[in-house]
Amino acid sequence: MRCYLRAFLLCTAFAFVSLLYVFTLEDSQGRGFGELTIPDGGSHDGGNVVRKSPGLAGREPPAEVDRCKSQSVSHWDPYWRPPADVCGLNCFLESSFRDRAGSKDEKRGDESSHLAVVACGPRLEETLTMLKSAVMFSKKPVKFYIFAEDQLHHSFRDALILKEVDSLLYVDTDVLFLQPVEDIWALLAQFNASQLAAMAPEHEEPRIGWYNRFARHPYYGQTGVNSGVMLMNMTRLRETFFKNDMTSIALKWSEMLMPLLHKYKLNITWGDQDLLNIIFHHNPESLYVFPCQWNYRPDHCVYGSNCQQAEEEGVFILHGNRGVYHNEKQPAFRAVYEAIKQFSFGDNMESSLLQPLEASLQTTGHSYCGRVSHLFTKRLKQRIASRHTDKMSTLKLELGITE
């Protein structure tokens, strides 16, 4: 919990103390990391998604500090920025702290999806595997915003301070995409006029829900929401005034977060996720809730299969929280992680990914999640079949064959 809480605090001061690593991934034809060029004083993105208002370009980089120093939040001034030696996960909140007056929702001028993730501590390998899963299935360009600690700088390329973006998809490092990124990105178009973020429920079954049984703070809906996959309209988030339980006056995101943390710091268990639940408890009209298949976790199968959408359509995003990719508690989750990690771009996806994965999953039938592991490969099979159909259609066109 401390790592997540530190991460939240780091995000509020990100403009002062941290670097952002940006990668532009090629589309499905390239299947590799594209070259990144950073124009002097300009945006890294030529499309209309990135807002052109002044950002942080030209600021002096912070001095070297000993990051991740152990320090309790109770020793920090809650109304000022945290110390520069704080690091951690879930830094998607930082952009909202740079208010801009008079901005409007902009039309998206390119087809790129914008995805943010944080690489902290030993999570480099997990982060790279997540990136691979995103590239493997997406047909359109994906632009990654990778927050990294100092010791991981050498593992990424070309640092760039984050410019404000119109929309962003945040994911934890322990997420694997089994569906193209652009498909969840398309949910932005389903937001109504008041919605500015989207998450999946923390639980579908109240009898096993954590928030409704143990939370000591307000939370969204009946069972709360999970922040491991979060789609955001950042323009709306920066400009909205939020109802809260600290004052009768609605506050902007940047005005609310630190006082909110100060009020609930003794009751927070899950860090930034708890704070988000508190915010959307008081502002439910601002949240779009997407189905559990977009954030499928062990809780959806260890207590019996309780994600109806996944049972019908398969798992779209696999979230291996609680370290299940790296232990033996949920072998079905680990099998998917290992299969994607071992897969090499350019290999045949059916013979080098699907077949080894299915063979590995067959050995997990003794576990609860292993009994529904066919849900993990359902979209992969459809994806491979679709690619085969596309290739055959292209071949027929080249040969001039008509039905």
Side-chain angles (χ1 to χ4, degrees), residues 63-227:
E64 288 294 326
V65 292
D66 180 17
R67 298 168 64 83
C68 297
K69 184 174 69 177
S70 177
Q71 185 172 9
S72 171
V73 295
S74 62
H75 298 148
W76 299 344
D77 180 354
Y79 298 98
W80 191 237
R81 66 178 183 267
D85 54 8
V86 181
C87 71
L89 303 181
N90 292 14
C91 287
F92 57 82
L93 298 170
E94 70 82 23
S95 292
S96 63
F97 262 65
R98 299 195 297 276
D99 294 332
R100 293 291 183 268
S103 60
K104 302 294 182 182
D105 288 353
E106 298 183 28
K107 294 182 179 179
R108 295 169 179 81
D110 63 17
E111 294 184 336
S112 301
S113 303
H114 294 244
L115 190 152
V117 68
V118 177
C120 182
R123 292 181 177 266
L124 174 62
E125 180 185 271
E126 193 172 79
T127 304
L128 295 175
T129 304
M130 183 279 294
L131 300 181
K132 183 188 289 187
S133 73
V135 178
M136 284 168 57
F137 300 108
S138 295
K139 295 181 179 180
K140 298 179 180 179
V142 183
K143 296 181 180 178
F144 286 89
Y145 301 85
I146 307 174
F147 298 75
E149 295 176 286
D150 292 342
Q151 61 266 34
L152 298 181
H153 287 189
H154 69 280
S155 301
F156 299 105
R157 296 195 303 256
D158 296 322
L160 181 67
I161 296 296
L162 179 65
K163 304 292 183 181
E164 293 181 53
V165 296
D166 176 72
S167 298
L168 194 67
L169 172 64
Y170 169 82
V171 297
D172 286 350
T173 60
D174 53 7
V175 153
L176 293 174
F177 289 88
L178 304 179
Q179 185 81 351
V181 175
E182 58 263 26
D183 288 357
I184 188 171
W185 187 258
L187 295 180
L188 284 166
Q190 299 185 21
F191 283 17
N192 64 28
S194 65
Q195 291 167 337
L196 51 82
M199 289 185 280
E202 174 69 11
H203 287 283
E204 277 62 44
E205 175 51 64
R207 289 177 296 177
I208 61 173
W210 191 92
Y211 282 107
N212 56 290
R213 292 188 296 160
F214 305 116
R216 296 179 293 166
H217 56 75
Y219 54 90
Y220 177 86
Q222 189 176 11
T223 60
V225 285
N226 184 279
S227 65

Side-chain angles (χ1 to χ4, degrees), residues 372-390:
V372 295
S373 63
H374 61 281
L375 303 179
F376 300 173
T377 58
K378 188 169 186 176
R379 303 304 295 185
L380 177 57
K381 289 180 178 179
Q382 293 177 1
R383 178 69 170 158
I384 291 173
S386 176
R387 281 192 171 189
H388 179 71
T389 301
D390 291 344

Side-chain angles (χ1 to χ4, degrees), residues 194-199 220 225 230 280 283-289:
S194 65
Q195 291 167 337
L196 51 82
M199 289 185 280
Y220 177 86
V225 285
M230 184 175 178
F280 290 115
N283 302 270
E285 73 284 354
S286 297
L287 188 66
Y288 176 96
V289 179

